[in-house]
């Protein structure tokens, strides 16, 4: 039989993506043989950009129950209680596991771990590394562990194009490498760990490779998806003209930095009892309203952090200095930016998706733990908790290898696309203006239509641009269907939440 690919790889599992979710899952699968397919170098994606930290109830005054209560309060009542319980109860164990892997959390002079505070948390419970370089430190340890693991093989610089199905079962992935090789990877378990959708938006804190690939692949394979309308906009991205925008970690507000507008008004006071530490959606909309009214908004950390900025927040300090701003002595201009997707591939508590053979971990998944809005610093946590559970479940399942059948003759990743940057730019503008911080019915309808037109301009083979258009349309449709405001999803034509019991999208 002649197959339309250059290389066939067989493994016990294929993991697509090499962030914290994917690599945690891959490591937990030992001794099963795992192929990790990743678009760039292992360790790229959003994880190394994560600043704030990882939330866990490790303080004596704290408890997983308090952590769970905060997670649900921010999540707008849509959280899955079982997923929240797993997330918050496993958190201290996963922190210990990360330390055992070599992750160094910041400690004080007494050797005790330092805990930061962020919006929506009733306690200080955010562990961090290198001040504001938590994700980078985790990736350092995970990439090193994966490189040393005999059961993990990595295929870098390879774009995973599509899931391969045999009937209802997912049995593999097609991919194109940067040097043009077409690959078919067959395995009884395929784990998506491809991250979120930040690049779909003109303003985002996410790196350029975060293009909704796993979401679009899962949709094309007809896997169940959930909560797609819930996109989190981080309130404080550095408004200095960068693309992507630099994140100004919420931990700055946790240390007392305040938001002011160009009239000197500290507008979060009186707007919410927790002022700058209100849930992210509340702060993001308040900033948005000021900007729409023609004002400028600044994060002022001069009093709260001041001279200690370079030691306490070295990443943010360096980014500001690159743009000619000295946050020790001057307020920093800010604006909201797309940051995190609560929705994704619907999974159970062990990462299993609706199609046999398919799993999802990290931001591409929707475990239900976040509900309509994610609590700060619960993202690295969710990825490590559910990545570990998925890896263990794949290892325990121990399904037999996949044999090549005639169906795989159609498993062609297609040719690499040409330059689609103009379509990509239009997707990003459409999503920002129509499916952004504040939405309404006519704007969402226009977005669905516009994205449909853009899809018509794309070559049929899978590409980042195609994934962005398809994922964008799914998000816009879900936002149109939810005729209420809840969590991160705000509709100016339905500004209130639906009454209890009527929350589900029609
Ligand atoms: C931040 O540091 O503000 C981002 C952390 C997160 O997204 O939870």
């Amino acid at each position: 039989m002649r197959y339309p690919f250059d290389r066939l790889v067989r493994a016990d599992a294929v993991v697509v993506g090499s962030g914290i979710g994917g690599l945690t899952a891959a490591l937990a699968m030992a001794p099963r043989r795992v192929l990790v397919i990743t678009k760039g170098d292992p360790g790229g994606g959003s994880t190394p950009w994560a600043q704030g930290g990882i939330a866990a109830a490790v303080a004596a005054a704290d408890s997983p129950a308090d952590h769970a209560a905060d997670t649900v309060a921010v999540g707008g009542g849509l959280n899955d209680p079982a997923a929240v319980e797993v997330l918050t109860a496993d958190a201290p164990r996963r922190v210990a596991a990360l330390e055992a892997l070599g992750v160094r959390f910041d400690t004080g002079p007494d050797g005790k771990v330092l805990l930061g505070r962020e919006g929506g948390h009733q306690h200080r419970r955010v562990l961090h590394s290198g001040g504001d370089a938590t994700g980078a430190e985790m990736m350092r340890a995970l990439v090193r562990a994966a490189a040393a693991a005999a059961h993990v093989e990595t295929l870098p610089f390879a774009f995973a194009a599509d899931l391969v199905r045999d009937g209802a079962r997912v049995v593999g992935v097609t991919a194109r490498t940067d040097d043009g090789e077409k690959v078919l990877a067959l395995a009884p378990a395929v784990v998506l760990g491809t991250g979120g959708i930040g690049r779909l938006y003109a303003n985002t804190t996410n790196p350029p490779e975060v293009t909704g690939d796993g979401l679009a692949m899962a949709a094309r394979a007809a896997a169940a998806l959930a909560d797609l309308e819930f996109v989190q906009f981080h309130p404080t991205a550095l408004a200095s003209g960068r693309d992507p925008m630099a994140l100004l970690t919420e931990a700055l507000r946790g240390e007392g930095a305040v938001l002011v507008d160009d009239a000197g008004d500290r507008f979060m006071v009186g707007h919410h009892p927790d002022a700058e530490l209100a849930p992210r959606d509340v702060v993001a909309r308040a900033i948005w309203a000021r900007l729409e009214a023609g004002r400028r908004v600044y994060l002022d950390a001069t009093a709260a952090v001041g001279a200690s900025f370079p030691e306490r927040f070295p990443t943010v300090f360096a980014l500001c200095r690159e743009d000619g701003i000295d946050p020790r002595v001057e307020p920093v201009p800010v604006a909201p930016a797309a940051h995190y997707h609560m929705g994704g591939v619907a999974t159970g508590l062990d990462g299993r998706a609706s199609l046999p053979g398919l799993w999802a971990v990290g931001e591409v998944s929707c475990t239900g733990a976040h509900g309509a809005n994610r609590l700060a610093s619960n993202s690295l946590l969710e990825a490590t908790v559910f990545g570990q559970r998925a890896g263990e479940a794949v290892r325990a399942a121990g399904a037999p290898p996949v044999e090549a059948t005639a169906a795989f003759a159609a498993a062609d990743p297609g040719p690499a696309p040409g330059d689609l940057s103009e379509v990509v730019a239009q997707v990003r503008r459409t999503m920002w203006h129509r499916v952004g911080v504040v939405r309404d019915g006519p704007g969402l309808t226009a977005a669905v239509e516009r994205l449909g037109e853009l899809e018509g301009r794309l070559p049929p083979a899978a590409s980042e641009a195609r994934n962005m258009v398809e994922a964008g349309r799914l998000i816009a449709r879900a936002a149109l269907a939810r005729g209420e405001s809840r969590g991160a999803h705000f509709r100016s034509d339905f500004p209130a939440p639906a009454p209890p019991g009527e929350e589900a999208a029609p």
Side-chain angles (χ1 to χ4, degrees), residues 50-53 118 232 234 236 247-251 253 280 339-340 374-379:
Q51 294 181 1
E118 295 182 15
Q232 182 174 83
H234 198 289
T236 57
L247 179 67
L248 302 181
T249 176
E250 190 156 330
R253 281 174 280 134
R280 263 182 205 171
H339 182 63
Y340 186 85
R374 174 177 64 78
L375 183 67
S377 287
N378 267 356
S379 56

Side-chain angles (χ1 to χ4, degrees), residues 15 24 35 66 92 103 110 127 131 135 143 147 149 170 174 224 248 264 297 311 329 348 353 377 392 433 467:
V15 174
T24 301
L35 176 70
D66 281 2
V103 174
D110 58 0
L127 295 95
V143 168
V170 172
T174 59
L248 302 181
V297 176
E311 296 81 53
V329 294
S377 287
E392 288 174 3
H433 291 294
N467 290 342

